[in-house]
Amino acid sequence: IQLTQSPSLLSASVGDRVTLSCKGSQNINNYLAWYQQKLGEAPKLLIYNTNSLQTGIPSRFSGSGSGTDYTLTISSLQPEDVATYFCYQYNNGDTFGAGTKLELK
Amino acid sequence: EVQLVESGGGLVQPGRSLKLSCLASGFTFSNYGMNWIRQAPGKGLEWVASISSSSSYIYYADTVKGRFTISRDNAKNTLYLQMTSLRSEDTALYYCARRADNWANWFAYWGQGTLVTVSS
């Protein structure tokens, strides 16, 4: 299964509602996770099973979707959210999207 | 607290070999499958290999099959990746990772990675 993330680069302002997209080449059956990776750090799990928030992750992060189309939403962008975000499917093997780089406008 | 600490990376010439290690702590290592995932500089993430808790099941990405060998020593709480016939495209940060649970397949725990550079 191939994952296509869009956009590849997103510029937004503090307080903005931000939406990142991830589209699979076939049905993912909700076995989708999102990771945040800051420069020089390992990926950090944010969301698993499409919409389950990992312990310790702020509630401004949320996930949704079904079938082949999935979304990560940040309800109110904070400066510390600047990072690259990867989607990952574990329905059939393990594949990652190419990432969306989120920067402050 | 789950901790995964990789080591063994470095600069190696094309065609040569290198062995990575990942020392695990904070959980019963012998109860969990383990994985290697890599990230080329400035690129995305690529799953490399998986090994089950007792080493009965082993899987590889097509890009490394026949060249890399994943193994583990449960007595030493250590995961390994033996890499042979290295190519420039194997240059990457190599992460050791564990899934959330044996029934929960997402990668929940990651080490900090060890950098492998393949260059003459």
Side-chain angles (χ1 to χ4, degrees):
Chain A
I1 298 177
Q2 295 184 8
L3 298 177
T4 301
Q5 289 189 243
S6 60
S8 55
L9 176 64
L10 180 58
S11 297
S13 301
V14 173
D16 282 354
R17 181 180 181 87
V18 172
T19 300
L20 284 63
S21 174
C22 178
K23 185 176 180 66
S25 59
Q26 55 185 270
N27 190 354
I28 295 171
N29 290 310
N30 293 112
Y31 293 115
L32 187 107
W34 290 93
Y35 294 89
Q36 176 193 68
Q37 187 177 36
K38 297 183 178 180
L39 202 60
E41 298 183 6
K44 179 180 181 180
L45 178 66
L46 300 175
I47 301 281
Y48 60 92
N49 289 348
T50 297
N51 56 15
S52 295
L53 193 66
Q54 173 70 351
T55 302
I57 301 301
S59 59
R60 64 180 180 274
F61 291 93
S62 64
S64 63
S66 64
T68 60
D69 296 317
Y70 296 84
T71 299
L72 175 70
T73 299
I74 306 174
S75 61
S76 178
L77 186 66
Q78 300 302 303
E80 60 266 31
D81 299 335
V82 169
T84 298
Y85 292 82
F86 294 98
C87 60
Y88 154 65
Q89 72 80 24
Y90 43 101
N91 177 58
N92 184 353
D94 299 281
T95 51
F96 295 86
T100 291
K101 185 175 182 180
L102 179 58
E103 63 178 28
L104 287 180
K105 191 180 293 183
Chain B
E1 178 192 4
V2 172
Q3 288 200 325
L4 302 169
V5 180
E6 302 92 338
S7 61
L11 175 63
V12 60
Q13 293 179 328
R16 302 297 289 267
S17 300
L18 199 63
K19 187 172 186 176
L20 308 183
S21 300
C22 170
L23 179 62
S25 61
F27 65 102
T28 303
F29 182 71
S30 59
N31 285 351
Y32 291 89
M34 295 296 296
N35 308 269
W36 288 100
I37 295 167
R38 68 184 181 183
Q39 185 171 33
K43 301 295 185 182
L45 297 155
E46 178 188 20
W47 167 80
V48 173
S50 295
I51 186 169
S52 62
S53 57
S54 61
S55 304
S56 298
Y57 301 97
I58 289 175
Y59 306 96
Y60 298 99
D62 288 342
T63 51
V64 307
K65 199 174 294 182
R67 299 187 300 121
F68 289 12
T69 302
I70 188 172
S71 62
R72 63 190 295 160
D73 185 336
N74 286 344
K76 295 182 178 180
N77 288 350
T78 302
L79 175 72
Y80 302 101
L81 186 67
Q82 176 69 55
M83 304 184 294
T84 64
S85 303
L86 282 161
R87 306 166 180 168
S88 58
E89 54 265 37
D90 296 319
T91 294
L93 188 61
Y94 284 74
Y95 293 105
C96 167
R98 201 202 90 181
R99 300 182 193 275
D101 211 322
N102 289 319
W103 50 265
N105 283 333
W106 56 92
F107 295 118
Y109 304 98
W110 300 65
Q112 285 303 303
T114 187
L115 181 62
V116 173
T117 303
V118 183
S119 175
S120 55

